[in-house]
Amino acid sequence: MEKRNIFVIGLDESNLPTLNEVPDAQSLRFHQLLTIEELQVGEVSLDGLVKKAEGVLDAFDGSIDAIVGYWDFPVSTLVPILAERYGTRGTSLESVVKCEHKYWSRLEQRKVTGRHPRFGLVDLESDDPAPPDGLSFPMWVKPALSYSSELAFGVKDRTEFRAAVEEIRSGIARVGRPFEDILARLDLPPEMAGVGAQVCLAEETIAGVQVAVEGYADRGEVTVYGVLDSINYPDSSSFLRHQYPSMLPEPVLRELREVTERVMRRIGMDGATFSVEYFYDPRRDEINLLEINPRHSQSHAELFHYVDGVPNHHSMIALALGRDPALPHRAGRYTMAAKWYYRWFADAAVHDVPTPRDIARVEREIPGVRIDMVPGEGQRLSESPGQDSYSYEVAHIFTGGDSEKDLREKFDRCVAALGLAFDETRPGGRDERNP
């Protein structure tokens, strides 16, 4: 049987094992299309990336059966651009941008639901920038486009607000400038006239339990296939772990599914996966939509594999090939699973980084775990791309188990087994790996 050729924009080693666990993987051949470094490091040149990708695809001696990706901008926008160019299946560029441009996304959400925070644009040209009228502190200030919470700041007063705006001003062009090229490809609605991509959004802070809703849109139907809880480090906005399945009560899960289906139909996505993030406030019994990601989360692939028996990469690939994207339900080895973020909360050089052989030994000794290191030996944490504004990711640790206690014990054993050492470069750094 001739294999189908799947081009994965930003294919990385950590996701290749789970891609190879999708159903009928033996009939598929995965090809890397651009590297993570080309896509995420330094200034982003969209035209340059498109030309480089086209060079690879044009030179390929075989069928181009699917073009997919599971990263944020620029990958999310490259997928529909290249899919249209090479005639592969996927959603429209407009539907992707309606998700990724945080202001446009809020405008679309507002048309079908009130389940979102109050928001408004910030005037970056002002000598004395102020919060939008009607918004109250605390709030978040962020560019209209960012990923991994880059340049997103929680602020509680005018002083912190001004400092955040200054940081955003100095860094917004790295992603905002190439995103202007994306907007130029679209016929924008009147409410987006003159807004552009290098703009700043302020939103009132929403509280509660953070959850992620994963699903796909196919032939006009929206399907939610999983809900995960996202738990932060204590007194921090940085993720400690994603846990699947969610522990929220069924009425809340039902509302999450209903709002998600309504919003994604409004967005107009089709033939693609998505991940929508929410907060649920148990005191008010209220959900609030945080943001929409126009791709499934590669961070959750191993979790679905542990619990449902198939990685969520399956839906992405099946949709691109025109196949059935449905996932099995609770057919995996474990009752629950988690992705843990081992973080360091100060800049430092990392030493005693385990070798691949060391990591393989730990994974053999602790059943139901997988470990991905982020920095290399001696690397400064601040040199790792895609970090949030408050911490540095050191390792991603995936655990499958039959209880939360089981998941935590496996995480703690992995952290101890890694045995990392840190040379901190500023006082006051905290090791919050075991909150």
Side-chain angles (χ1 to χ4, degrees), residues 71-359:
W71 299 106
D72 291 320
F73 181 84
V75 173
S76 53
T77 48
L78 286 171
V79 170
I81 290 172
L82 294 171
E84 183 179 18
R85 163 76 168 78
Y86 291 92
T88 58
R89 191 165 187 261
T91 193
S92 68
L93 177 62
E94 181 177 302
S95 68
V96 169
V97 177
K98 281 182 180 179
C99 298
E100 292 228 302
H101 193 293
K102 297 184 189 303
Y103 181 67
W104 193 1
S105 184
R106 288 294 190 215
L107 295 179
E108 293 299 308
Q109 294 164 32
R110 190 166 63 184
K111 294 172 182 177
V112 292
T113 182
R115 298 301 195 186
H116 56 75
R118 291 195 292 180
F119 64 95
L121 291 176
V122 176
D123 183 3
L124 290 179
E125 303 300 321
S126 172
D127 293 332
D128 184 20
D133 291 341
L135 267 64
S136 303
F137 290 107
M139 65 181 65
W140 279 87
V141 187
K142 62 187 76 171
L145 179 74
S146 66
Y147 47 77
S148 298
S149 299
E150 184 177 333
L151 293 179
F153 299 95
V155 299
K156 62 179 182 293
D157 54 36
R158 287 291 290 267
T159 300
E160 291 185 356
F161 179 88
R162 293 190 189 97
V165 170
E166 283 303 313
E167 289 228 31
I168 291 170
R169 276 174 176 163
S170 64
I172 196 171
R174 189 181 83 84
V175 174
R177 189 179 296 120
F179 201 52
E180 295 280 6
D181 298 335
I182 293 291
L183 292 182
R185 295 170 179 257
L186 304 174
D187 293 325
L188 299 175
E191 62 261 41
M192 283 294 293
V195 173
Q198 298 188 60
V199 294
C200 181
L201 189 69
E203 300 180 341
E204 288 187 344
T205 297
I206 48 181
V209 179
Q210 191 167 349
V211 294
V213 176
E214 292 236 350
Y216 56 81
D218 185 31
R219 296 175 175 87
E221 295 295 324
V222 176
T223 299
V224 170
Y225 58 70
V227 182
L228 306 90
D229 295 330
S230 298
I231 296 102
N232 291 345
Y233 279 81
D235 303 318
S236 169
S237 62
S238 299
F239 288 134
L240 169 62
R241 71 182 185 272
H242 303 301
Q243 186 168 301
Y244 178 65
S246 172
M247 304 292 283
L248 292 176
E250 180 54 37
V252 178
L253 298 176
R254 188 183 310 117
E255 185 179 10
L256 287 167
R257 289 192 290 265
E258 291 172 352
V259 172
T260 298
E261 290 165 8
R262 193 158 62 241
V263 169
M264 296 314 297
R265 280 195 295 270
R266 176 67 204 179
I267 292 292
M269 179 171 283
D270 200 63
T273 55
F274 60 80
S275 177
V276 187
E277 297 178 36
Y278 292 86
F279 276 96
Y280 169 64
D281 186 341
R283 295 171 300 176
R284 298 183 177 182
D285 191 26
E286 181 177 273
I287 66 169
N288 266 295
L289 198 159
L290 178 61
E291 65 181 21
I292 307 172
N293 301 302
R295 42 87 189 152
H296 72 289
S297 176
Q298 55 84 25
S299 293
H300 303 157
E302 196 70 61
L303 310 190
F304 283 95
H305 191 200
Y306 279 148
V307 176
D308 291 327
V310 171
N312 59 357
H313 289 322
H314 164 65
S315 295
M316 171 189 71
I317 295 166
L319 288 165
L321 293 173
R323 298 175 177 175
D324 181 4
L327 292 174
H329 184 72
R330 308 300 185 259
R333 181 178 175 183
Y334 298 101
T335 303
M336 59 199 319
K339 176 186 179 179
W340 300 80
Y341 293 83
Y342 177 9
R343 297 180 184 271
W344 203 256
F345 285 73
D347 192 11
V350 185
H351 301 286
D352 299 335
V353 174
T355 65
R357 180 177 295 182
D358 295 331
I359 291 175

Side-chain angles (χ1 to χ4, degrees), residues 54-73:
E54 289 177 341
V56 173
L57 294 168
D58 290 344
F60 182 69
D61 184 18
S63 62
I64 299 171
D65 300 300
I67 299 172
V68 299
Y70 40 70
W71 299 106
D72 291 320
F73 181 84

